[in-house]
């Protein structure tokens, strides 16, 4: 079965702190993709990153970085020097061949609050 | 990036009426679109997969007669909530992926529609 777990329901940090959002996934598939999406209070989902199962290289994009560890089935997301505008719900998602169609399985989300 | 437009952004309707939500891919074609429902402070739950030119595929527990999906073209899918009741109040989001076949490109999401049934 496909499953995505985000153990942190809510996180609060003070501006400029670093924060890591955890994501652990389960899949039988050997080929799969992992995603992170941001959902600000307005509701729309904003794509942040896609990573395929064959590429374990970590990625950095500005203040964002992602750590993909296949050995532990984790795809964690770190925001460095957080800002108030980072406050949102963040979803980790999995897309694998054995999903029905080409659907995503979303994690429950982590609500991040960055306080000024 | 690609744009998916969802309309309306919010709607209030009376109990017993029907509401149609549109999902359009503005700059790409999408054979498949997906409809999700999101309850407050919860994750996105897939309701159905909308296939262009054929019937939608509904997830277990989703009433296909209540949530009518039509995917008449490669750029438009509609979700109609029929005989809406207050328990149908929710945030509905559509998504579409460019291309066809087993593509694992990122999905692009509409801005969502907040439905309130009074």
């Amino acid at each position: 079965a496909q499953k995505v777990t985000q153990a942190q329901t809510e996180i609060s940090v003070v501006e400029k702190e670093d924060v890591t959002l955890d994501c652990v996934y389960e899949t039988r598939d050997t080929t799969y993709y992992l995603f992170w999406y941001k959902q600000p209070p307005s509701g729309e989902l904003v794509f942040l990153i896609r990573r395929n199962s064959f590429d374990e290289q970590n990625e950095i994009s500005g203040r964002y970085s992602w750590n993909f560890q296949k050995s532990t089935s984790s795809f964690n997301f770190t925001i460095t020097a957080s800002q108030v505008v980072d406050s949102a719900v963040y979803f980790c998602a999995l897309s694998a061949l054995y999903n029905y169609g080409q659907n995503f399985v979303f994690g429950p989300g982590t609500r991040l609050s960055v306080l000024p | 990036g690609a744009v998916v437009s969802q309309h309306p952004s919010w709607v209030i309707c009376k109990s017993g009426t029907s509401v149609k939500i549109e999902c359009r891919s503005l700059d790409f074609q999408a054979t498949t679109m997906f409809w999700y429902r999101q309850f407050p402070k919860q994750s996105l739950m897939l309701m159905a997969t909308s296939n262009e030119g054929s019937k939608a595929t509904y997830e277990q527990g989703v009433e296909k007669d209540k949530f009518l999906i039509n995917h008449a073209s490669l750029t438009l899918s509609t979700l109609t909530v029929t005989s809406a009741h207050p328990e149908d109040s929710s945030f509905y989001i559509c998504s579409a992926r460019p291309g066809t076949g087993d593509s694992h490109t990122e999905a692009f999401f509409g801005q969502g529609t907040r439905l309130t049934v009074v």
Side-chain angles (χ1 to χ4, degrees), chain A residues 10 33 35 37 39 41-45 47 50 91 95-97 100 102-104 106-109 111, chain B residues 32 34 36 38 41-44 46 49 57 59 91 93 97 101-107 109-111:
Chain A
E10 296 190 32
Y33 289 75
F35 301 78
Y37 283 86
Q39 187 178 40
S42 52
E44 78 276 16
L45 282 169
F47 167 80
R50 176 190 65 162
F91 291 100
S95 176
L97 288 177
Y100 181 84
Q102 299 155 47
N103 177 39
F104 286 178
F106 283 90
R111 182 175 300 274
Chain B
T32 306
F34 303 91
Y36 297 85
Q38 185 180 28
K41 295 191 176 183
Q42 293 191 26
S43 188
L44 284 75
L46 179 68
T49 302
T57 305
E59 295 299 299
F91 193 61
I93 305 177
R97 274 172 158 155
D102 289 329
S103 170
H104 287 279
T105 57
E106 70 267 23
F109 288 81
Q111 67 268 45

Side-chain angles (χ1 to χ4, degrees), chain A residues 35 37 45 94-96 99-106, chain B residues 4-6 21-25 28 30-37 44-52 56-59 69-71 76-79 91-112:
Chain A
F35 301 78
Y37 283 86
L45 282 169
L94 167 71
S95 176
N99 277 1
Y100 181 84
Q102 299 155 47
N103 177 39
F104 286 178
V105 173
F106 283 90
Chain B
V4 173
S5 175
Q6 194 171 333
I21 303 170
E22 291 187 349
C23 180
R24 292 180 185 273
S25 56
F28 66 92
T31 304
T32 306
M33 292 185 178
F34 303 91
W35 287 95
Y36 297 85
R37 183 173 182 176
L44 284 75
M45 299 300 296
L46 179 68
M47 297 175 64
T49 302
S50 171
N51 303 298
E52 187 267 336
T57 305
Y58 290 82
E59 295 299 299
I69 290 173
N70 183 277
H71 196 152
L76 174 63
S77 176
T78 60
L79 167 68
F91 193 61
Y92 295 88
I93 305 177
C94 71
S95 78
R97 274 172 158 155
T100 60
D102 289 329
S103 170
H104 287 279
T105 57
E106 70 267 23
F108 296 95
F109 288 81
Q111 67 268 45

Side-chain angles (χ1 to χ4, degrees), chain A residues 9-74:
Chain A
T9 305
E10 296 190 32
I11 301 176
S12 288
V13 298
V14 177
E15 204 169 20
K16 297 184 182 178
E17 286 184 1
D18 299 346
V19 58
T20 295
L21 310 182
D22 297 333
C23 173
V24 174
Y25 62 92
E26 295 177 29
T27 178
R28 295 177 300 163
D29 207 333
T30 55
T31 302
Y32 52 89
Y33 289 75
L34 296 163
F35 301 78
W36 275 95
Y37 283 86
K38 174 182 180 180
Q39 187 178 40
S42 52
E44 78 276 16
L45 282 169
V46 178
F47 167 80
L48 296 178
I49 191 172
R50 176 190 65 162
R51 172 65 73 227
N52 74 55
S53 53
F54 297 110
D55 182 4
E56 289 194 67
Q57 188 173 10
N58 293 328
E59 181 158 339
I60 298 174
S61 176
R63 295 184 297 108
Y64 297 167
S65 62
W66 291 269
N67 185 321
F68 178 28
Q69 299 255 341
K70 212 168 175 179
S71 59
T72 56
S73 297
S74 65

